[in-house]
């Protein structure tokens, strides 16, 4: 599954990158070398900076589409991770189903 990150970016600034993850794509790499959103984000950032940093703050299941937040700086990752761990971040979920 080829991933074109610029088409998926919802917001980007100096500190964060917000990406709309398509269904079927994992957030993290696995041992089977399947494509991942993290790897695609890092490739995208390499084109923009000499020593890019990217780390996802949270994950979504492979089958799920949704928004994934990436930190572009280590100190931002630490701060955002703490906010998620302390439940200061509100998450919203919407499910679409079909009757078969």
């Amino acid at each position: 599954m080829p991933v074109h990150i610029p088409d998926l970016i919802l917001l980007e600034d100096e500190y964060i990158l917000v990406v709309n993850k398509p269904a079927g794509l994992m957030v993290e790499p696995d041992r089977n070398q399947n494509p991942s959103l993290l790897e695609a984000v890092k490739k995208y950032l390499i084109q923009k900076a000499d020593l890019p940093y990217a780390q996802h703050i949270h994950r979504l299941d492979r089958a799920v589409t949704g928004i994934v937040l990436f930190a572009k700086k280590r100190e931002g990752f630490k701060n955002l991770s703490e906010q998620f761990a302390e439940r200061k971040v509100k998450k919203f979920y919407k499910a679409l189903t079909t009757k078969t």
Side-chain angles (χ1 to χ4, degrees):
M1 166 187 267
V3 182
H4 191 244
I5 293 299
D7 294 340
L8 304 175
I9 294 173
L10 301 174
L11 178 101
E12 181 178 8
D13 66 17
E14 182 180 347
Y15 302 98
I16 63 169
L17 181 64
V18 182
V19 179
N20 186 17
K21 182 189 93 62
L25 182 65
M26 296 180 303
V27 173
E28 298 177 307
D30 70 355
R31 64 178 179 254
N32 297 322
Q33 307 291 327
N34 288 312
S36 74
L37 188 59
L38 178 59
E39 291 169 332
V41 164
K42 286 181 177 181
K43 286 179 186 175
Y44 163 75
L45 292 175
I46 284 171
Q47 297 171 0
K48 298 178 69 172
D50 290 335
L51 298 171
Y53 175 84
Q55 185 57 53
H56 56 283
I57 310 300
H58 62 96
R59 295 174 295 178
L60 294 174
D61 291 342
R62 182 181 199 162
V64 175
T65 185
I67 297 170
V68 179
L69 177 62
F70 288 86
K72 291 172 61 177
K73 297 183 182 269
R74 282 183 173 76
E75 50 284 357
F77 174 71
K78 182 178 183 283
N79 182 290
L80 289 167
S81 293
E82 288 171 359
Q83 289 181 52
F84 271 78
E86 295 168 3
R87 307 259 187 238
K88 293 180 178 177
V89 175
K90 292 185 181 184
K91 301 177 189 177
F92 298 91
Y93 298 92
K94 183 185 280 190
L96 301 176
T97 61
T98 60
K99 185 176 180 181
T100 56

